[in-house]
C-alpha cells in the first residue's frame, strides 16, 4: 500500500461529519485531517513507543483546547 492509500485510509477512519455546513468547511477540515495524519506518521517514525492515530488526535485536540480554549 502506497503513501496516498495509507493517508486516505487513516483519514477516513475518524472523519468528522460536516454536512450542512458552509462550502469551505470541507476543504479546510480535509487539510487539517491531512496535517494530523502526516504529523502522526512522523511521530510513529521517531518515537520509541508510538501511540495509535486516535490517541494522537485526542492529545492534539486536548493540547489545543488547553492552550487556546476560552472558558465559557
Amino acid at each position: 500500500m502506497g503513501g496516498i492509500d495509507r493517508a486516505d485510509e487513516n483519514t477516513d477512519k475518524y472523519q468528522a461529519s460536516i454536512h450542512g455546513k458552509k462550502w469551505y468547511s470541507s476543504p479546510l477540515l480535509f487539510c487539517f485531517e491531512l496535517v494530523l495524519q502526516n504529523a502522526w506518521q512522523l511521530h510513529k517514525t521517531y518515537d520509541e513507543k508510538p501511540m495509535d492515530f486516535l490517541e494522537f488526535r485526542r492529545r492534539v485536540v486536548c493540547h489545543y483546547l488547553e492552550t487556546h480554549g476560552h472558558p465559557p
Side-chain angles (χ1 to χ4, degrees):
M1 187 184 310
I4 298 297
D5 293 335
R6 187 160 297 167
D8 286 341
E9 179 184 340
N10 289 333
T11 55
D12 284 343
K13 281 183 185 177
Y14 307 110
Q15 190 171 17
S17 175
I18 55 170
H19 299 290
K21 301 292 182 188
K22 299 288 185 184
W23 68 269
Y24 49 81
S25 297
S26 182
L28 288 176
L29 190 59
F30 176 76
C31 290
F32 182 70
E33 299 261 349
L34 203 56
V35 166
L36 269 177
Q37 200 274 331
N38 288 337
W40 178 65
Q41 290 292 335
L42 287 172
H43 165 73
K44 281 190 349 181
T45 303
Y46 294 111
D47 199 352
E48 294 174 2
K49 192 176 176 188
M51 57 187 104
D52 64 335
F53 190 45
L54 181 60
E55 181 63 27
F56 184 79
R57 287 174 60 113
R58 285 179 178 160
R59 288 198 183 187
V60 169
V61 168
C62 287
H63 173 75
Y64 277 114
L65 287 175
E66 289 172 358
T67 305
H68 304 291
H70 300 288

